[in-house]
Amino acid sequence: MKLIKLNKIGSDLRLHTENLAHIGFRKVFDNIDQLKIKNGVDKLGIDGFINQCACLAAGSGAMAGSGGMFTLVAGIPFDFINLITQQFRAIMGIMYYYRGTYENGFEDFMSLVATSVRVEAGVAITKSMMEGIAERLLMILGTRTAERLVPVVGAVIGGTANYLFIKRMAARVKEMQKEFVMIAIE
């Protein structure tokens, strides 16, 4: 009986991971206005923009953990989507800052996301790579869920964890982008 339940949980997790990888990432990417990212970086500077993304991620983490179990159940999906959105916004801002263009393609963008969460990225976006990114993000969120069960303490933990996740990820992406060289073809 327990083996069947564990197998079902494992298959459900794989199904959610595949859906996130193939539908969710593209949907989040398509719904982000890249011109607003450019304007935000131009107005706040890259570090200010990254800090804004980190604060927005911290807000949803704090809300998800503020009421213990009650807000955790309702807040986790919102927190997860917001965390991915803020991660994507920060990466797009960094790409604009270092490359000078704010219109980025999904495949190029996902390659950078993959390396930012330490997933092996090849030249082409593959099904297994997208699923690896989704699995890694679900694991990051899942490890912090239990800590958020205590009201108030959960808000501090959730907000801090989200803030630090965005800041650390952005620092890695900035380091990668410093090595990026654009070659102009004349």
Side-chain angles (χ1 to χ4, degrees):
M1 183 73 162
K2 287 185 180 185
L3 181 60
I4 293 170
K5 287 182 181 180
L6 289 176
N7 286 339
K8 182 171 177 10
I9 290 170
S11 65
D12 287 349
L13 184 59
R14 265 186 245 102
L15 178 66
H16 292 302
T17 300
E18 288 176 17
N19 285 339
L20 177 62
H22 302 293
I23 299 167
F25 289 157
R26 183 64 190 224
K27 192 174 238 180
V28 170
F29 178 84
D30 289 342
N31 286 322
I32 294 174
D33 185 348
Q34 293 189 38
L35 180 59
K36 285 185 180 178
I37 303 286
K38 174 198 176 300
N39 292 338
V41 171
D42 288 344
K43 182 179 178 182
L44 302 171
I46 190 61
D47 292 326
F49 185 76
I50 291 168
N51 195 51
Q52 179 189 54
C53 293
C55 288
L56 290 170
S60 68
M63 285 190 319
S66 64
M69 182 60 127
F70 300 111
T71 58
L72 184 67
V73 172
I76 284 295
F78 171 73
D79 181 35
F80 187 64
I81 294 297
N82 187 48
L83 187 63
I84 291 172
T85 301
Q86 297 314 317
Q87 177 185 12
F88 282 16
R89 287 181 71 238
I91 291 172
M92 286 178 184
I94 294 166
M95 289 174 79
Y96 163 67
Y97 182 78
Y98 284 101
R99 296 180 182 184
T101 181
Y102 67 90
E103 294 176 336
N104 297 294
F106 182 70
E107 287 77 21
D108 185 35
F109 171 75
M110 285 307 295
S111 292
L112 191 56
V113 171
T115 55
S116 77
V117 292
R118 295 185 182 137
V119 175
E120 291 296 319
V123 174
I125 300 294
T126 65
K127 178 182 174 185
S128 61
M129 186 183 88
M130 296 276 286
E131 290 172 3
I133 295 168
E135 186 177 318
R136 177 81 171 142
L137 288 172
L138 286 171
M139 291 300 288
I140 289 168
L141 185 67
T143 56
R144 295 178 290 155
T145 301
E147 298 166 340
R148 297 181 186 188
L149 293 175
V150 180
V152 182
V153 173
V156 172
I157 291 170
T160 302
N162 283 5
Y163 182 85
L164 291 175
F165 173 76
I166 296 295
K167 293 292 268 191
R168 289 177 182 156
M169 177 278 312
R172 279 196 305 264
V173 173
K174 281 173 69 175
E175 285 301 314
M176 290 186 298
Q177 290 298 294
K178 286 180 183 176
E179 299 168 9
F180 179 82
V181 176
M182 185 171 279
I183 301 171
I185 300 174
E186 296 179 36

